[in-house]
Amino acid sequence: MKYPQLLLITLLTLILGTTLQARQLTIQAAPDHSGYTAQQFPLDDGLLEIDRGYYTVGETEVFNPEAWSISFSGNKVSFIENRDGAVYLSNLTPTGRKSAEENLEFFNAQDETMKVYAFDDGRTVTRDNVANFTFFDPAGEVLFSQSNSSQSSDGERESQLAADAFGQTIVLYNPVISYGSTRGSQARVIFNEEESNRFFNSQSSEIKNLSVSKNGSFITILTSDNTLFLFDRFGNELNQISFDDDQIGVSLTDDAEYVTVFSSSRAQVIDALSGERLGSTSSRSPVVYASYIPEDDTILILGGAVQGNQINDPMMTAVNISQRQIDREEISMPLAVHDMQKVRISRERASHYRLDGLNRSLIITASF
């Protein structure tokens, strides 16, 4: 073999070896969560365990609650219970201590639309029926109630609530309202008992996804005609972007500079104000959640088949946009989600991330 050929092969080997070593995608459970099953959810220095209808926090057990919610940071768990026809709201600390209990005398024990939302500041909101919401202070005392009925004579689906962790920005919305042969939707920001702003109203498109950013400063709405709307926390429209394909979810950077929009098989990053697409990637498994990390110019995608609250065959995909490199890794741990609104990916440092909102937090390393 001639010397130049040998030199070329050596250089190629060194370059390839350096590339293989530099590109890395690893997924591990957070140290305290490594042994968790799909029926165990982490709390702030505690654990919620579900077993044959029993929901256990510390020494406290709740049997077959009508609804339950874990706050974003896991510092509180709320339950709606039907006790022989009487409906109760119970708030528990991560150790299982009951911090509040309220008999909801105005609830119909047979109503299947009851729901509860727990906030990190101690407040709780219940959905009493299809369209009415009641707000409670940390002690479990009623603050006020709000009806979110559209008053449509043709009917509507259950109203929903979206908020940030501390409930600084709370949105009540009707995802589907029937208007004769068409279906629409509407949304409003709740400021207090007396003040609200109905900032979105459509008689021709449904709301597929409504999210409040982590810091509560922005609101996104994805509609059935695949239009994305961006609002500030007061409901002022900042932009709207249309897509040709069917989108199912959205995540937003804290400063609202970039938005990640994902379909069942693809994620793309958009400049939120200009509408320019920065990059996109496909996923080998159905997309559950996707997020863009601008500091590292990286898209992270959690994929898998959602069945009930469990994520089967989970996979993580990482894509560096500027380097046009992609890496995938199967996740060999059982995963489950209790509330898709609480799924978040945060950056801990360069190339290191944390995915929260599942039955275990995942520590992700993605370097290129």
Side-chain angles (χ1 to χ4, degrees):
M1 182 180 291
K2 294 182 180 180
Y3 178 78
Q5 291 176 313
L6 178 61
L7 178 61
L8 178 60
I9 291 173
T10 302
L11 288 173
L12 287 173
T13 302
L14 289 172
I15 292 170
L16 179 60
T18 302
T19 303
L20 290 174
Q21 290 176 4
R23 194 173 74 178
Q24 181 185 41
L25 177 60
T26 61
I27 302 99
Q28 298 176 319
D32 295 343
H33 304 167
S34 59
Y36 284 10
T37 71
Q39 300 301 314
Q40 294 175 309
F41 292 89
L43 305 176
D44 180 19
D45 197 24
L47 174 70
L48 167 63
E49 187 166 8
I50 306 171
D51 182 23
R52 291 169 293 184
Y54 286 94
Y55 291 65
T56 304
V57 181
E59 298 297 320
T60 302
E61 287 186 342
V62 176
F63 182 65
N64 277 341
E66 299 295 320
W68 60 284
S69 175
I70 301 174
S71 67
F72 275 84
S73 71
N75 67 356
K76 172 186 169 184
V77 187
S78 296
F79 294 98
I80 294 179
E81 303 175 65
N82 182 348
R83 302 178 188 170
D84 298 323
V87 181
Y88 284 83
L89 168 66
S90 299
N91 294 330
L92 303 181
T93 68
T95 61
R97 180 179 62 83
K98 195 166 287 187
S99 59
E101 182 175 77
E102 185 73 17
N103 184 355
L104 307 177
E105 298 178 353
F106 51 93
F107 272 51
N108 178 356
Q110 306 304 315
D111 195 324
E112 297 181 352
T113 64
M114 291 183 286
K115 194 170 183 179
V116 63
Y117 306 85
F119 298 143
D120 280 340
D121 67 353
R123 287 178 300 150
T124 312
V125 179
T126 59
R127 186 177 67 199
D128 317 340
N129 48 46
V130 170
N132 200 72
F133 292 80
T134 301
F135 293 68
F136 297 84
D137 68 14
E141 299 296 324
V142 174
L143 293 170
F144 58 90
S145 291
Q146 287 278 337
S147 172
N148 197 52
S149 174
S150 67
Q151 303 298 321
S152 172
S153 58
D154 296 314
E156 61 190 84
R157 287 190 191 165
E158 297 94 337
S159 288
Q160 304 289 341
L161 180 149
D164 61 283
F166 287 90
Q168 300 173 93
T169 302
I170 297 177
V171 180
L172 302 182
Y173 64 101
N174 310 84
V176 181
I177 306 171
S178 294
Y179 296 108
S181 60
T182 63
R183 299 201 295 186
S185 54
Q186 60 184 16
R188 63 189 180 116
V189 184
I190 305 297
F191 301 115
N192 52 51
E193 182 177 7
E194 304 295 334
E195 292 182 279
S196 66
N197 175 28
R198 196 174 304 277
F199 65 96
F200 180 82
N201 188 12
S202 172
Q203 294 197 3
S204 59
S205 60
E206 306 169 17
I207 294 177
K208 293 200 294 186
N209 179 284
L210 189 150
S211 301
V212 176
S213 65
K214 184 179 179 181
N215 61 11
S217 297
F218 304 97
I219 303 164
T220 57
I221 292 180
L222 181 64
T223 58
S224 56
D225 59 358
N226 295 303
T227 301
L228 173 66
F229 295 85
L230 175 64
F231 303 88
D232 66 18
R233 66 182 303 268
F234 302 104
N236 299 306
E237 185 176 319
L238 303 176
N239 198 9
Q240 58 176 283
I241 306 168
S242 297
F243 300 90
D244 296 329
D245 48 348
D246 188 29
Q247 306 298 320
I248 61 172
V250 179
S251 68
L252 190 68
T253 56
D254 285 347
D255 58 5
E257 187 172 355
Y258 304 105
V259 61
T260 306
V261 184
F262 49 94
S263 65
S264 60
S265 60
R266 182 169 173 259
Q268 53 187 314
V269 179
I270 309 290
D271 184 299
L273 293 183
S274 71
E276 177 187 358
R277 191 178 74 176
L278 275 68
S280 65
T281 184
S282 59
S283 175
R284 290 178 179 173
S285 57
V287 178
V288 177
Y289 181 78
S291 182
Y292 174 59
I293 312 298
E295 297 91 339
D296 301 324
D297 201 21
T298 296
I299 307 173
L300 296 173
I301 301 173
L302 172 64
V306 179
Q307 185 173 11
N309 74 329
Q310 297 196 33
I311 303 173
N312 298 324
D313 303 318
M315 174 181 286
M316 183 63 63
T317 301
V319 181
N320 185 280
I321 295 177
S322 55
Q323 298 185 37
R324 297 186 178 181
Q325 292 191 20
I326 185 169
D327 207 351
R328 297 180 175 92
E329 187 70 27
E330 293 182 356
I331 303 174
S332 57
M333 294 170 276
L335 296 184
V337 57
H338 61 86
D339 184 347
M340 278 304 304
Q341 286 194 18
K342 294 183 172 68
V343 176
R344 291 282 195 275
I345 295 177
S346 56
R347 183 180 188 264
E348 298 197 315
R349 61 183 188 278
S351 303
H352 289 75
Y353 317 98
R354 183 183 178 103
L355 192 159
D356 293 304
L358 305 177
N359 61 310
R360 50 162 56 87
S361 294
L362 299 179
I363 307 301
I364 305 162
T365 301
S367 56
F368 296 90

